[in-house]
């Protein structure tokens, strides 16, 4: 299994540094590439130390992460799979499972589970506006404009665009090689586009109020500036639009996201724990102190 560490495994552009190092060097004791360390306080407890990568060097960190994924991401995920997240076993039948079947992938294999349960997570994110899964709305994204951040190989983007019936689906990543892979793997589908864009620069990249949804699966926890991502999401969303996040989060990660959402004025519609559903798939191990959460935040009209 892929461990979800205190610095969770992230899909697409923002990978766990520990996993990247392990993939590159085969070591179970990676060098410390984390952006935050701990130091003992006077009372013996652990408190956050100063960031090991200064804020002025965040762009350098981002370049390192992009370089790491460009060179090592193929070792982290099976080559045949193009939906690369932990997946979720939510006890439901997804529509059109044939859309995520791939030649050479054997049923019940690791790659098959990545495709099927990864698609289930996309479907859940794209159809569940509130806390209760029982109140899902299959037409939530129908005829809407969606911006996905950190799409990686794009299989989830291609699937959701078709089954959700979106009007326009812009899937982005800030690694050009990933965008090239997306365009090569996925046949043309009306309204689906793959574009190079940085999650922290949405405000500069896209006009205001042009999307109904911003979707980010397994990436946000590793963004070097969550506030920039949240502000950019607010900028591109139309009034009433929703920011959808699924990620493995520590308590501190969650607080940072909630604080950022509150600062710009988002209203929280859902904050649900999917850890059991993720664990049931068997691809990722959700470690102690980490919860795999689904967050739905709405831009007030």
């Amino acid at each position: 299994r892929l461990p979800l560490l205190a610095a969770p495994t992230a899909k697409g552009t923002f990978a766990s540094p520990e996993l990247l190092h392990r993939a590159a060097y085969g070591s179970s004791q990676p060098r410390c590439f984390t952006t935050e360390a701990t130091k003992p306080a006077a009372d013996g407890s652990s408190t956050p130390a100063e960031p090991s990568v200064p804020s002025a060097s965040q762009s350098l960190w981002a370049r390192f992460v992009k370089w790491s994924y460009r060179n090592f991401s193929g070792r982290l995920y099976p080559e045949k799979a193009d939906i690369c997240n932990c997946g979720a076993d939510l006890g439901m039948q997804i529509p059109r499972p044939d859309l995520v079947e791939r030649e050479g992938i054997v049923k019940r294999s690791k790659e098959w589970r990545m495709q099927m349960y990864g698609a289930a997570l996309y479907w859940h994110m794209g159809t569940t506006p509130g806390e209760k899964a029982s109140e899902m709305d299959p037409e939530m994204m129908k005829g809407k404009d969606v911006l996905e951040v950190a799409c990686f190989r794009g299989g989830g983007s291609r699937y959701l665009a078709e089954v959700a019936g979106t009007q326009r689906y812009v899937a982005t990543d800030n690694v050009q090689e990933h965008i090239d892979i997306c365009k090569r793997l996925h046949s043309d589908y009306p309204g689906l586009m793959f574009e190079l864009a940085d999650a922290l620069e949405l405000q500069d990249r896209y006009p205001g109020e042009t999307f109904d949804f911003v979707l980010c699966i397994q990436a946000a926890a590793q963004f070097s500036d969550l506030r920039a991502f949240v502000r950019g999401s607010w900028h591109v969303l139309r009034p009433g639009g929703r920011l959808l996040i699924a990620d493995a989060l520590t308590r501190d990660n969650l607080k940072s996201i909630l604080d950022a959402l509150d600062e710009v004025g988002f209203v929280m519609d859902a904050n649900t724990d999917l850890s059991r559903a993720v664990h049931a798939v068997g691809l990722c191990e959700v470690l102690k102190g980490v919860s795999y959460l689904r967050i739905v935040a709405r831009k007030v009209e």
Side-chain angles (χ1 to χ4, degrees), residues 8 52-53 62 70 93 103 111 120 185 210-211 224 257 259:
S52 58
V53 181
R70 183 178 297 115
Q93 178 68 41
E103 184 178 354
E111 292 89 346
L185 288 179
T210 51
F211 293 96
S224 61
I257 291 176
D259 287 348

Side-chain angles (χ1 to χ4, degrees), residues 29 60 78 119 139 143 165 217:
Q29 298 295 328
L60 179 62
E139 297 191 351
I217 298 181

Side-chain angles (χ1 to χ4, degrees), residues 14 17 27 82 85 91 100 112 116 124 150 206 210 213 218 221 233 291:
F14 298 84
S27 170
D82 55 36
N85 61 55
V100 294
W112 182 88
M116 294 297 164
H124 183 58
Y206 297 102
T210 51
F213 295 93
Q218 272 178 241
S233 298
S291 296

Side-chain angles (χ1 to χ4, degrees), residues 210-242:
T210 51
F211 293 96
D212 301 294
F213 295 93
V214 174
L215 173 65
C216 183
I217 298 181
Q218 272 178 241
Q222 293 304 302
F223 292 167
S224 61
D225 188 347
L226 270 171
R227 284 172 171 79
F229 168 61
V230 171
R231 285 195 303 269
S233 298
W234 177 275
H235 170 75
V236 302
L237 283 171
R238 297 181 176 115
R242 297 183 179 99

Side-chain angles (χ1 to χ4, degrees), residues 3-179:
L4 289 175
L5 309 171
T9 303
K11 179 179 71 69
T13 303
F14 298 84
S16 158
E18 290 85 354
L19 262 181
L20 287 170
H21 186 272
R22 194 176 308 159
Y25 300 101
S27 170
S28 60
Q29 298 295 328
R31 298 174 183 172
C32 182
F33 285 128
T34 54
T35 57
E36 183 174 272
T38 58
K39 60 181 179 182
D43 61 359
S45 62
S46 293
T47 58
E50 292 298 317
S52 58
V53 181
S55 57
S57 301
Q58 286 179 347
S59 61
L60 179 62
W61 172 253
R63 288 199 298 272
F64 164 74
V65 174
K66 284 196 285 185
W67 174 86
S68 299
Y69 241 93
R70 183 178 297 115
N71 287 276
F72 305 130
S73 61
R75 305 186 192 184
L76 295 179
Y77 302 101
E79 184 177 351
K80 294 177 182 178
D82 55 36
I83 302 181
C84 300
N85 61 55
C86 292
D89 185 353
L90 297 158
M92 63 179 182
Q93 178 68 41
I94 63 171
R96 297 292 308 278
D98 58 292
L99 292 177
V100 294
E101 293 176 352
R102 299 292 180 263
E103 184 178 354
I105 292 184
V106 179
K107 193 172 184 178
R108 306 297 177 189
S109 65
K110 177 180 179 179
E111 292 89 346
W112 182 88
R113 282 181 289 144
M114 290 184 74
Q115 294 295 111
M116 294 297 164
Y117 292 110
L121 179 57
Y122 267 89
W123 178 242
H124 183 58
M125 295 298 294
T127 59
T128 312
E131 290 282 354
K132 298 180 180 180
S134 60
E135 297 176 356
M136 67 176 294
D137 177 8
E139 297 191 351
M140 186 174 92
M141 287 186 170
K142 187 174 182 179
K144 303 297 185 180
D145 297 325
V146 179
L147 175 66
E148 182 180 357
V149 173
C151 67
F152 196 18
R153 294 177 184 165
S157 314
R158 173 65 179 81
Y159 174 73
L160 190 58
E162 181 159 353
V163 296
T166 60
Q167 173 68 27
R168 181 171 59 118
Y169 195 116
V170 181
T172 69
D173 201 288
N174 74 344
V175 177
Q176 182 62 55
E177 285 82 354
H178 295 169
I179 298 301

